[in-house]
Amino acid sequence: MPTKSKPAKPKVKAILDSYQGDPSMLVSILQDVQAEYNYLPKETLTQVSQDLDIPLTRVYSVATFFKAFSLKPRGRHIINVCLGTACHVRGAVRIRDEIERELDIKPGETTEDFKFTLETVNCVGACALGPIVIIDSKYSGQMKPDKVKTLLESYD
Amino acid sequence: MAKTKTKRLSSPQELEALRELIVKGRDPNQSCIVICGGTGCLALGAQEVINAFKQEIEKGSLKNKLALRVTGCPGFCERGPLVVIKPKNILYQQVKSEDISEIVSATVKGNIVDRLLYTDPDTGQKITYEHEVPFYKKQKRLLLGDNSNIDPTIIEDYLALGGYATLSKVLFKMSPDKVIDEVKKAGLRGRGGGGFPTGVKWESCRQAQGDTRYVICNCDEGDPGAFMDRSLMEGNPHSVLEGMLIGAYAIGSHQGYIYVRNEYPLAVRNAGIAIKQAGELGLLGKNILGSGFDFSVKISRGGGAFVCGESTALMASLEGKVGEPRAKYVHTVEKGLWEQPTNLNNVETWANVPLIIKNGADWYAKVGTEGSKGTKIFSLVGKINNTGLVEVPMGITLREIIYDVGGGIPDNKKFKAVQTGGPSGGCIPESSLDLPVDFDQLTDVGSMMGSGGMIVMDENSCMVDIAKYFINFLEGESCGKCVPCREGLKRMSQILTDITEGRGKEGDIELLERLSATLADSSLCALGSTAPNPVLTTIRYFRDEYEAHIKDKRCPAGVCRELVTYLIDEENCPGCGLCVKACPVEAITDMGKKKPVVLDQEKCIKCGACYDVCKLGAIIRK
Ligand SMILES: Cc1cc2nc3c(=O)[nH]c(=O)nc-3n(C[C@H](O)[C@H](O)[C@H](O)COP(=O)(O)O)c2cc1C
Ligand code: FES
């Protein structure tokens, strides 16, 4: 997933082709671009706008409306703390606070070494295991504040 | 499972012949190990269990004796990873990869692994069979029941159970009007929250003027604490597709969309596989089963916006635009997607359709209450013993769901409230627990059925905090297009934050009520107009908690940090040091064996970690 490579246009082209250049698939297209680059680099937005023949302002408004998109480079590991209702009543806020304290970043921010980006999500559908933290695509359920440190240390 | 060679089916007879072929190739008495591969169990390590089973079967060359099936969620997430041995339905819970060789050898010999069975907490007895577990006993699993008989990535599993035979009946033996009549007669109401009669919606869409008609399946499941739709889409995607096909035929539509939340990668994957496999067999695409009816389905992924579950916002997002709702002077059944007549239904609504047509409206209408027919799936979560997905007949009481199915509140705590209907719903107190659950009754007490989230709260949940939680959630999710919602929610959030942080003032409750009335009357879409419900119901049923926060600067449940203090009860503290380890900021000092620990109030961040670990009650929360 996370790649270090510089935004290279052929990748965007390939993604656009896989949707037959259908402008109505904009959200899905941006999702795939983000999966490729780990965020939405400016050049890719310009290219999507040109190739789909829709105004850059519209691409930008979609890219900023949806929570799933980031216009800033993100860390090697994406931490998602679930703040859905089920996780909330089981103390998810304390988990988030502990991660914030441990990494010294707030949700939406990335550590200076680009190791972690902290994000929050509203329910991932594994409510039975709340509070839940997802790092990249690995779920850790029944989290406790005192388990946070060990969990974070297991990533490099 | 034997893969049947795919060939486009061009008549109902060919479909039936294929089904017979699949069934004949399977021995109903052969033992089959069924493992839940749903998001919940996967998060608990089911993948390792699955791999271990594969290895074990391979190792013992047991392919002929033992089948293995990875399925969607059977509901009992609390006890995952779950394994069921068919055809006897022996249930093993909390299975780990170390347990696999024992399960396999016992199953081959016809034995049972006692230690992995579920223990009834009331009687202390081991329970062998799935249907005897109290969690399942009062459920009526018309929709979820098939989840454990189907590997969602293998269409043959769905066909073996008679899948798509209902579609075939509809295409060749029923007129569109007859289908609509049947759905109307069954009394099916939308499961996405509003409870709008499905047949009536279909009819309006069928009659609307337009060149092209669209049908959409709403799998945005925005309620933050609910996962019914996810489990259906992950576990039995063909039932949803078959429902959409029947609806499309009735409405006269040839293009469908499934709008899935991006946070559900497995649902996206399984829906995609289902569409592909159905297409290969000619159950989607042109001239379906030789009937002349065409229908295809595309998947569109959401981008993490709650408001996109709302019909007009969803359609804007499908068109590749920002997901903002519009005023509904003209209904979407008349002008929806691309300004064409569009019929939107929830996942669970669609999944009910094949059942109704297959068994008839009269059969379906026997289940439920006067105004609400059939079953409803709830995700039962929060402070409850048996967390998971439950499917119950409409009309069952909340008490039965929480105590009989859900097994009551953990740690002998006291029940306080149950929140239904997600951010648009409300909190229902103990005094209303005997209420039969249906669309109208829940609305009467100020809440709503919603899509099926049911969050149980105990004495340690603060009702002002819950109200603040939902308002903050909605403030963040408000698209900002209309002023009452954008500014009103911001103000409500400020007032609630003040109350929970000790700055509450006389008159705040009344102000919240006035703002609520404004939002309800003047918001553009239902996000804003229903947003006050969590506030209004908590004020209605738990006013004393608001007053304790405002007047006494006290949080009775001990949740609101600014209003609590933690102290060490020196008499009771044996200095075991558990809390010292739990404290994330080293505010507690170990003073040596048998001496009480010391808590530095300056450093304490009031996270409550010490309170949770201390089993001796030596941490006092005030
Ligand atoms: C803010 C908001 C969010 C909604 N989210 C969902 C959702 O996630 N899933 C859903 O099925 N319906 C949701 N709805 C309801 C839909 O607008 C719509 O009524 C429903 O999908 C229609 O299907 P049904 O008749 O089968 O219930 C939401 C409504 C609002 C106002
Ligand atoms: S609320 Fe966290 S997974 Fe559902």
Side-chain angles (χ1 to χ4, degrees):
Chain A
M1 292 244 289
T3 51
K4 284 195 206 94
S5 58
K6 282 246 157 53
K9 293 194 171 197
K11 285 188 190 156
V12 177
K13 184 92 188 59
I15 291 168
L16 289 165
D17 285 348
S18 70
Y19 291 94
Q20 288 95 40
D22 180 355
S24 71
M25 298 311 278
L26 182 59
V27 178
S28 295
I29 290 170
L30 293 181
Q31 257 148 3
D32 289 359
V33 173
Q34 172 152 308
E36 188 64 49
Y37 295 104
N38 196 21
Y39 75 110
L40 295 174
K42 199 168 158 194
E43 310 80 58
T44 61
L45 296 184
T46 329
Q47 191 181 348
V48 167
S49 138
Q50 279 165 2
D51 287 13
L52 294 182
D53 198 19
I54 47 181
L56 183 58
T57 47
R58 213 179 98 205
V59 178
Y60 182 76
S61 72
V62 168
T64 48
F65 179 84
F66 291 104
K67 253 218 307 274
F69 299 124
S70 170
L71 298 183
K72 287 185 300 195
R74 300 188 298 171
R76 289 197 300 286
H77 302 291
I78 314 282
I79 307 173
N80 258 303
V81 184
C82 178
L83 295 182
T85 322
C87 289
H88 176 83
V89 301
R90 291 195 185 180
V93 173
R94 276 161 45 186
I95 311 294
R96 182 201 59 197
D97 290 354
E98 187 53 27
I99 299 177
E100 286 182 9
R101 206 167 18 249
E102 206 48 61
L103 299 178
D104 200 17
I105 50 173
K106 296 266 172 225
E109 295 177 356
T110 301
T111 54
E112 273 176 23
D113 57 2
F114 279 91
K115 184 166 166 188
F116 289 113
T117 296
L118 177 58
E119 283 172 3
T120 61
V121 59
N122 290 309
C123 193
V124 291
C127 315
L129 317 173
I132 201 157
V133 174
I134 304 132
I135 304 190
D136 302 331
S137 54
K138 189 168 181 319
Y139 293 66
S140 305
Q142 283 143 5
M143 277 302 294
K144 296 223 167 70
D146 57 345
K147 288 204 273 185
V148 164
K149 199 168 175 182
T150 333
L151 178 68
L152 294 179
E153 278 169 358
S154 67
Y155 287 83
D156 54 31
Chain B
M1 306 262 145
K3 268 249 165 225
T4 333
K5 209 167 148 264
T6 47
K7 162 180 167 291
R8 275 186 78 86
L9 304 167
S10 54
S11 69
Q13 292 74 23
E14 285 186 20
L15 173 68
E16 179 54 23
L18 175 60
R19 191 187 68 82
E20 281 168 10
L21 190 72
I22 297 167
V23 173
K24 220 160 75 193
R26 293 179 176 190
D27 173 5
N29 298 318
Q30 189 195 36
S31 295
C32 178
I33 296 174
V34 173
I35 314 169
C36 170
T39 301
C41 280
L42 285 179
L44 283 167
Q47 191 58 50
E48 284 92 72
V49 175
I50 296 168
N51 296 345
F53 268 120
K54 282 190 184 148
Q55 273 174 14
E56 195 68 26
I57 291 176
E58 194 91 3
K59 205 168 74 189
S61 310
L62 297 168
K63 276 224 164 98
N64 298 326
K65 289 202 185 124
L66 270 185
L68 184 67
R69 186 187 301 133
V70 181
T71 70
C73 175
F76 203 8
C77 308
E78 181 76 33
R79 294 287 164 162
L82 297 171
V83 171
V84 174
I85 311 292
K86 301 249 166 187
K88 287 193 181 147
N89 287 327
I90 302 161
L91 172 73
Y92 296 130
Q93 39 121 40
Q94 298 180 328
V95 176
K96 299 197 186 58
S97 43
E98 303 92 86
D99 304 326
I100 304 316
S101 60
E102 198 179 342
I103 296 182
V104 168
S105 62
T107 307
V108 173
K109 292 189 199 116
N111 295 340
I112 288 166
V113 186
D114 261 2
R115 64 180 181 87
L116 295 172
L117 297 176
Y118 175 78
T119 311
D120 186 333
D122 290 338
T123 61
Q125 299 233 310
K126 296 266 182 201
I127 300 180
T128 309
Y129 303 105
E130 189 182 51
H131 53 271
E132 288 176 354
V133 171
F135 175 76
Y136 288 111
K137 261 193 189 158
K138 277 206 175 169
Q139 293 196 47
K140 190 166 180 70
R141 306 190 331 129
L142 300 181
L143 300 169
L144 287 176
D146 274 342
N147 268 16
S148 53
N149 295 320
I150 291 175
D151 177 335
T153 63
I154 299 177
I155 191 171
E156 285 81 1
D157 283 5
Y158 185 68
L159 293 176
L161 301 173
Y164 291 105
T166 312
L167 170 70
S168 158
K169 167 172 147 190
V170 164
L171 293 179
F172 291 90
K173 303 212 173 100
M174 289 173 84
S175 68
D177 287 331
K178 176 85 183 93
V179 176
I180 291 177
D181 275 351
E182 204 64 15
V183 173
K184 273 163 99 177
K185 217 165 79 191
L188 177 63
R189 293 172 68 174
R191 303 299 197 238
F196 192 82
T198 306
V200 175
K201 196 192 268 185
W202 289 12
E203 190 166 50
S204 320
C205 190
R206 178 173 178 77
Q207 288 167 356
Q209 295 287 325
D211 314 323
T212 316
R213 275 159 237 281
Y214 295 104
V215 298
I216 307 177
C217 170
N218 191 345
C219 188
D220 195 43
E221 194 152 68
D223 176 353
F227 54 103
M228 305 74 51
D229 298 345
R230 166 177 77 71
S231 296
L232 279 173
M233 197 53 99
E234 275 178 17
N236 197 352
H238 287 290
S239 70
V240 181
L241 282 180
E242 190 173 2
M244 289 179 75
L245 274 154
I246 295 170
Y249 170 78
I251 290 162
S253 161
H254 305 292
Q255 180 64 54
Y257 289 89
I258 300 179
Y259 189 86
V260 199
R261 240 176 122 153
N262 196 42
E263 290 89 335
Y264 286 175
L266 197 58
V268 174
R269 189 199 76 164
N270 289 1
I273 295 174
I275 290 173
K276 184 161 168 283
Q277 294 183 344
E280 283 164 2
L281 283 177
L283 295 162
L284 277 176
K286 294 245 176 271
N287 192 15
I288 293 169
L289 291 176
S291 65
F293 174 66
D294 306 338
F295 184 66
S296 16
V297 177
K298 278 193 198 165
I299 297 180
S300 180
R301 285 174 291 161
F306 173 67
V307 73
C308 284
E310 194 276 340
S311 52
T312 56
L314 184 149
M315 290 171 203
S317 163
L318 267 183
E319 292 174 9
K321 299 188 190 130
V322 164
E324 281 177 358
R326 62 161 174 81
K328 284 192 265 189
Y329 308 116
V330 182
H331 289 288
T332 49
V333 284
E334 280 159 21
K335 277 190 182 2
L337 190 63
W338 315 113
E339 301 275 300
Q340 297 299 323
T342 305
N343 181 88
L344 172 73
N345 280 121
N346 167 264
V347 176
E348 194 180 332
T349 315
W350 286 121
N352 269 289
V353 170
L355 273 180
I356 292 172
I357 305 293
K358 180 176 174 194
N359 301 296
D362 295 332
W363 170 86
Y364 188 82
K366 277 201 200 102
V367 184
T369 64
E370 182 64 34
S372 308
K373 301 296 185 193
T375 59
K376 178 76 197 84
I377 308 179
F378 290 101
S379 77
L380 190 58
V381 297
K383 309 284 186 72
I384 183 99
N385 274 318
N386 300 338
T387 322
L389 271 194
V390 306
E391 182 179 351
V392 287
M394 297 270 193
I396 191 173
T397 66
L398 284 167
R399 192 181 299 282
E400 286 172 287
I401 299 182
I402 292 168
Y403 287 95
D404 299 345
V405 179
I409 318 297
D411 306 328
N412 290 321
K413 295 256 166 70
K414 235 176 113 264
F415 169 89
K416 188 187 261 182
V418 54
Q419 209 278 345
T420 67
S424 316
C427 292
I428 301 170
E430 166 91 43
S431 59
S432 301
L433 275 189
D434 291 308
L435 203 72
V437 172
D438 79 1
F439 287 104
D440 313 306
Q441 300 267 359
L442 289 180
T443 312
D444 285 350
V445 291
S447 184
M448 63 188 266
M449 174 89 84
S451 55
M454 200 171 261
I455 292 129
V456 180
M457 286 170 269
D458 68 6
E459 56 193 281
N460 290 355
S461 312
C462 167
M463 302 316 284
V464 188
D465 174 70
I466 289 296
K468 179 176 82 171
Y469 167 80
F470 281 114
I471 294 297
N472 283 346
F473 170 80
L474 290 165
E475 187 205 348
E477 295 296 335
S478 167
C479 76
K481 187 168 169 177
C482 78
V483 181
C485 174
R486 184 182 68 225
E487 300 302 322
L489 284 170
K490 184 176 246 164
R491 257 320 266 148
M492 285 173 90
S493 163
Q494 282 166 352
I495 298 167
L496 288 164
T497 305
D498 282 350
I499 296 178
T500 54
E501 293 183 355
R503 297 183 300 273
K505 299 183 295 295
E506 196 80 26
D508 275 355
I509 299 182
E510 292 70 22
L511 187 55
L512 283 172
E513 287 173 331
R514 279 219 310 281
L515 275 165
S516 294
T518 309
L519 252 80
D521 285 343
S522 55
S523 297
L524 178 64
C525 83
L527 187 150
S529 64
T530 58
N533 287 348
V535 176
L536 291 176
T537 50
T538 46
I539 294 179
R540 175 162 155 196
Y541 298 116
F542 301 96
R543 201 180 180 100
D544 54 329
E545 280 194 40
Y546 278 84
E547 280 168 352
H549 283 75
I550 296 173
K551 292 193 184 129
D552 315 337
K553 309 294 173 211
R554 190 171 62 83
C555 173
V559 170
C560 299
R561 263 189 212 179
E562 277 73 8
L563 305 181
V564 298
T565 316
Y566 289 91
L567 300 168
I568 309 292
D569 179 353
E570 297 184 359
E571 300 264 295
N572 278 328
C573 174
C576 71
L578 266 184
C579 56
V580 179
K581 280 202 213 92
C583 179
V585 290
E586 293 169 16
I588 310 179
T589 317
D590 193 339
M591 305 305 276
K593 270 223 161 76
K594 303 224 167 117
K595 290 200 187 117
V597 297
V598 173
L599 170 62
D600 182 346
Q601 292 294 344
E602 294 281 302
K603 281 193 193 157
C604 176
I605 52 164
K606 302 178 181 180
C607 71
C610 53
Y611 183 85
D612 288 347
V613 293
C614 184
K615 297 281 174 254
L616 303 167
I619 310 266
I620 306 167
R621 177 155 68 191
K622 276 218 315 227

